[in-house]
Amino acid sequence: MCEMCGGKTADAVRRDMLARIAKYDYTMVSVREERARDGSWVAPGFVYSVGLWSFHRVPEVIVVGAPARHAVELVQRYAGMAKRGKRFGPGGPYPGFVADGTVMMELVAPGFYAEWFASAFDFYPTGDFPAVQLLWADREQVWPWEPRWARRNTPQPVLTRSGRPESWRVAA
């Protein structure tokens, strides 16, 4: 359940988030998926970091469409590696994130920040932070921009202006 849905005020949620950042150098914000009554997708769930840019000078990271527990694990893994000095640029693949799959990184277009990183503005009021999206392939190693991306998969929009990777080459 979201903290505000549980009765906390927006100010209390903000204070708690800032306290977690002060204690751990970052925090995670999780947004639940949304489905219509007929079960169709309205919006995928997502998890993102807040604080990594300020404390470790690495982009904030967002994982869209993965099951919540898995998305949290991916953000934690990224944060742990970043805190130990690992740096990530656009592209990949990056081994070590998932045992049976592949992940890539893509720069998030700032035009998506307000919608996808809303709580980050409590920590970065001007929105002055870089962000990467950790993209994941399905079990058949198909990426969300490929025509074979299965309809049964959770939507995984690519948060660039074009909706496709832009900062590294993709096979056509």
Side-chain angles (χ1 to χ4, degrees):
M1 175 187 309
C2 77
E3 293 176 313
M4 287 179 54
C5 301
K8 284 188 178 180
T9 65
D11 195 45
V13 170
R14 180 180 180 277
R15 278 195 312 272
D16 288 351
M17 181 185 79
L18 296 175
R20 286 191 308 272
I21 293 169
K23 184 174 182 178
Y24 300 108
D25 294 347
Y26 84 103
T27 192
M28 291 180 287
V29 176
S30 180
V31 177
R32 295 181 105 180
E33 68 185 33
E34 191 176 342
R35 289 183 180 250
R37 288 181 181 226
D38 66 2
S40 62
W41 289 102
V42 173
F46 56 98
V47 177
Y48 62 92
S49 66
V50 180
L52 291 173
W53 175 246
S54 181
F55 285 94
H56 300 283
R57 302 320 267 180
V58 296
E60 301 299 343
V61 66
I62 187 169
V63 177
V64 180
R69 188 182 90 242
H70 189 61
V72 165
E73 290 170 1
L74 290 170
V75 172
Q76 287 174 329
R77 196 165 296 139
Y78 173 92
M81 294 169 85
K83 289 170 85 170
R84 289 188 300 277
K86 174 83 172 152
R87 296 299 177 254
F88 303 91
Y94 285 102
F97 274 92
V98 290
D100 61 346
T102 304
V103 301
M104 304 278 229
M105 302 286 177
E106 177 57 70
L107 297 172
V108 176
F112 286 105
Y113 284 15
E115 179 180 357
W116 292 87
F117 291 88
S119 293
F121 285 86
D122 287 334
F123 190 68
Y124 304 107
T126 62
D128 188 20
F129 61 92
V132 293
Q133 181 178 5
L134 189 150
L135 297 160
W136 46 277
D138 70 10
R139 289 184 177 110
E140 287 79 40
Q141 298 304 301
V142 177
W143 295 95
W145 55 86
E146 294 180 315
R148 296 183 351 214
W149 181 256
R151 288 182 181 251
R152 71 182 182 282
N153 286 342
T154 305
Q156 188 185 175
V158 179
L159 305 178
T160 61
R161 284 185 302 257
S162 69
R164 292 176 51 87
E166 294 177 350
S167 55
W168 45 282
R169 293 194 79 146
V170 174

